[in-house]
Amino acid sequence: MKDLHPSALVLILALVVSGCSLFSPPSPPPPSSDPIALLLSADSDMKEQVRRAMARAAERAGISIQLSNLVYLSRDDLTVAHALVVDFDSLRLLEPNRVGDVGLAFLSLPASVGVPTGFYKIRIFVLEAKAELLDAQGGVVAVFPLERAQETPGSRPLISVTNCRVTLIYQQVSQGVPPIQAAVPLDWCKPVGPL
C-alpha cells in the first residue's frame, strides 16, 4: 500500500480538514482564504464520501464492513477511520489458533509506526497475541502485538488515543461463547530509559 489510492487521498483530505468529529454538527463556513476548506465545505455530504471510500476499500480487501458504525479520529499528527466487519457480533474464533478478520482501518500515522498511509484489513491471532495489517491484495504490511481490551458495554468500533499511541479496540458482547476482547496498539513512543 505504498501508493495512495484516490479514495485514500479523499479520505485523508476529508478527515483532516473536517476536524475532530466526522459526525459533529457542521462548522461555520471557513475563511475564504482557504480554497481547500471552501471546496470541502461546499460539499455538505462529506460523511457519505468517507463512507464510500471505506466501502470501496473494503470491497478491494474482500470484506463487508459496518458503515453505519464507522468512527474516525483526526488530529495534527494522525488520521484514523475504523469499521468492524459486518458479522462481527456473531464472529466466533473457535478454530485452534483463533484467527479472524475483524475490521478495516484507514491509517495515516507518524512514519515511526512503520505503516504507510492507506486502508488495512485487520486480522487478529488470539493465541499468538498478534494482529496483522493486510493490504488489499492480502499481503501482510505490519504485525503488532495484540492486547486484551477492557470491557465495554457493547460491540462497536472504538479508537483510543493517548499521547503517541493509537489503539484499535475490538470488543464483542458474548452470549456463552468466549468473546473477542482485543486491542491493537499502534505505538510510536520511544521508551524512556533510567535517568
Side-chain angles (χ1 to χ4, degrees):
M1 303 227 25
K2 296 186 189 221
D3 296 329
L4 288 179
H5 295 284
S7 56
L9 293 174
V10 168
L11 185 60
I12 291 171
L13 192 56
L15 296 178
V16 170
V17 173
S18 70
C20 289
S21 177
L22 180 63
F23 302 106
S24 64
S27 57
S32 61
S33 62
D34 185 351
I36 294 175
L38 278 173
L39 176 67
L40 287 172
S41 68
D43 182 4
S44 63
D45 207 8
M46 190 182 316
K47 289 188 285 189
E48 189 55 34
Q49 287 183 25
V50 172
R51 283 189 176 104
R52 282 194 303 259
M54 289 289 283
R56 284 190 301 270
E59 188 177 314
R60 284 193 306 270
I63 58 173
S64 296
I65 57 173
Q66 299 177 16
L67 291 171
S68 61
N69 290 329
L70 174 70
V71 294
Y72 103 100
L73 175 83
S74 181
R75 66 181 199 189
D76 290 342
D77 59 341
L78 62 90
T79 300
V80 180
H82 184 214
L84 300 176
V85 294
V86 166
D87 58 350
F88 181 77
D89 289 325
S90 61
L91 185 63
R92 297 294 178 234
L93 305 180
L94 299 176
E95 55 274 353
N97 293 325
R98 295 198 71 201
V99 176
D101 296 335
V102 292
L104 180 77
F106 172 81
L107 303 173
S108 178
L109 303 172
S112 56
V113 176
V115 176
T117 296
F119 295 93
Y120 298 98
K121 179 168 47 173
I122 311 297
R123 179 171 293 158
I124 63 171
F125 297 75
V126 175
L127 297 181
E128 294 178 44
K130 72 176 185 178
E132 293 179 345
L133 275 57
L134 302 137
D135 61 19
Q137 293 74 38
V140 177
V141 175
V143 178
F144 291 93
L146 188 66
E147 298 177 350
R148 184 166 177 82
Q150 295 181 358
E151 268 189 63
T152 59
S155 302
R156 62 186 184 277
L158 296 170
I159 302 169
S160 169
V161 178
T162 52
N163 298 325
C164 51
R165 182 181 201 189
V166 171
T167 305
L168 303 176
I169 299 169
Y170 298 92
Q171 173 68 51
Q172 187 184 63
V173 177
S174 98
Q175 295 185 3
V177 178
I180 298 169
Q181 292 178 327
V184 181
L186 308 168
D187 198 341
W188 60 97
C189 301
K190 299 238 186 273
V192 178
L195 297 176

